[in-house]
Amino acid sequence: MSKILVLTGKELKSYFNSPVAYVVITLFLLIAGWQFATSLFLANQADLRQLFGIIRFILLFFIPAISMRLLSEEKRVGTIELLMTMPLKDWQLVLGKFIAAYILIGITLFLTLVHFITIASIGSPDVGATFGGYLGLALIVGVYLSIGIFTSSLTQNQIIAFILAFVIIFVFYILDKIIFFMPGFIANILEYLSIDFHFNNLARGVVDTRDVLYFISMMFFFLFLTTQVLESRKWQ
């Protein structure tokens, strides 16, 4: 565990020692703040539903942009080979980088709580729905990042890693929006695989273990695939 924490700390330091973290956080908060103000003052809606919607959309682009360098950069400069020779297991390397990126996005999401405070000061927001919404966003971040680090492990080209991550994430994002064109049994499968379907359940304030298990399973699956990709290099 200590090895994972050391690697996590190193990755976090690299984020905040460069403009990356500050640019990501600033852009994210500006876009989210604009959408919040629009729904609050123009649409006259004192809730966070519109905010959660735009955040989910922003994450489609931001997370692939953050995760595209996690392993592809190590491959490009050759440091991945050095890491492989260290007393560090592949899953520890993957988990350390995953946690560091997760913390960066987590800090960004935490800062959006200022919007909840604003609404609470002028009205009575649904605390249950707000909690469920933020829980859903936290789980979505985990799934998106696990997909991003997986695609980053496949190539040393960051642009390719970004495109692959975006495509995979976007597919899971729109699955519940195309079920109307599918036969019943296929529609049920696509609905269950849809990220938005499970998020919307949580955003209603109903925390169902089946939805939480879905997100955790997705994270584990893509992190496992990433570890397998790294291990396959040893046999080449």
Side-chain angles (χ1 to χ4, degrees):
M1 188 64 184
S2 60
K3 295 177 182 179
I4 296 175
L5 293 178
V6 169
L7 181 59
T8 298
K10 174 180 172 295
E11 288 293 317
L12 274 177
K13 188 176 180 181
S14 70
Y15 282 133
F16 288 97
N17 281 345
S18 69
V20 173
Y22 307 101
V23 170
V24 167
I25 292 174
T26 301
L27 284 177
F28 191 99
L29 293 178
L30 283 175
I31 297 172
W34 172 80
Q35 179 61 36
F36 171 76
T38 300
S39 63
L40 181 62
F41 298 111
L42 298 183
N44 197 29
Q45 294 180 346
D47 59 50
L48 295 179
R49 283 179 298 178
Q50 294 293 329
L51 178 66
F52 290 152
I54 192 61
I55 286 178
R56 299 205 308 281
F57 186 73
I58 295 172
L59 291 176
L60 286 173
F61 302 92
F62 271 66
I63 290 185
I66 291 172
S67 62
M68 67 182 184
R69 61 170 291 276
L70 290 178
L71 290 172
S72 60
E73 179 67 9
E74 303 280 8
K75 285 186 173 184
R76 188 183 68 82
V77 301
T79 51
I80 188 71
E81 306 299 338
L82 177 62
L83 288 172
M84 292 296 185
T85 63
M86 297 176 64
L88 189 70
K89 297 184 182 299
D90 292 334
W91 67 268
Q92 292 174 322
L93 171 63
V94 171
L95 203 55
K97 287 181 171 289
F98 172 80
I99 293 173
Y102 197 103
I103 290 174
L104 175 62
I105 300 298
I107 292 172
T108 308
L109 288 181
F110 177 79
L111 293 175
T112 65
L113 282 173
V114 66
H115 302 310
F116 174 73
I117 295 173
T118 300
I119 289 180
S121 67
I122 62 176
S124 301
D126 188 333
V127 177
T130 300
F131 171 78
Y134 272 108
L135 174 61
L137 288 178
L139 293 169
I140 281 177
V141 167
V143 174
Y144 286 4
L145 278 176
S146 65
I147 293 173
I149 196 172
F150 166 65
T151 60
S152 182
S153 71
L154 297 175
T155 176
Q156 58 181 275
N157 188 307
Q158 295 186 32
I159 302 303
I160 294 176
F162 173 88
I163 294 172
L164 287 175
F166 176 78
V167 170
I168 295 174
I169 290 171
F170 186 72
V171 167
F172 282 107
Y173 179 80
I174 66 168
L175 282 180
D176 66 330
K177 300 168 181 59
I178 62 173
I179 60 176
F180 305 105
F181 308 102
M182 301 294 174
F185 71 98
I186 295 180
N188 291 335
I189 294 174
L190 294 181
E191 185 178 60
Y192 179 78
L193 292 175
S194 167
I195 288 177
D196 253 20
F197 169 73
H198 294 280
F199 172 83
N200 290 330
N201 290 340
L202 293 171
R204 287 195 290 268
V206 180
V207 179
D208 192 320
T209 54
R210 289 172 296 183
D211 296 316
V212 176
L213 182 61
Y214 162 82
F215 286 110
I216 293 175
S217 299
M218 289 283 285
M219 278 184 263
F220 177 83
F221 176 70
F222 281 103
L223 290 176
F224 173 76
L225 287 182
T226 305
T227 303
Q228 295 302 112
V229 171
L230 293 183
E231 289 184 350
S232 69
R233 290 173 60 86
K234 299 175 182 178
W235 303 100
Q236 294 178 359

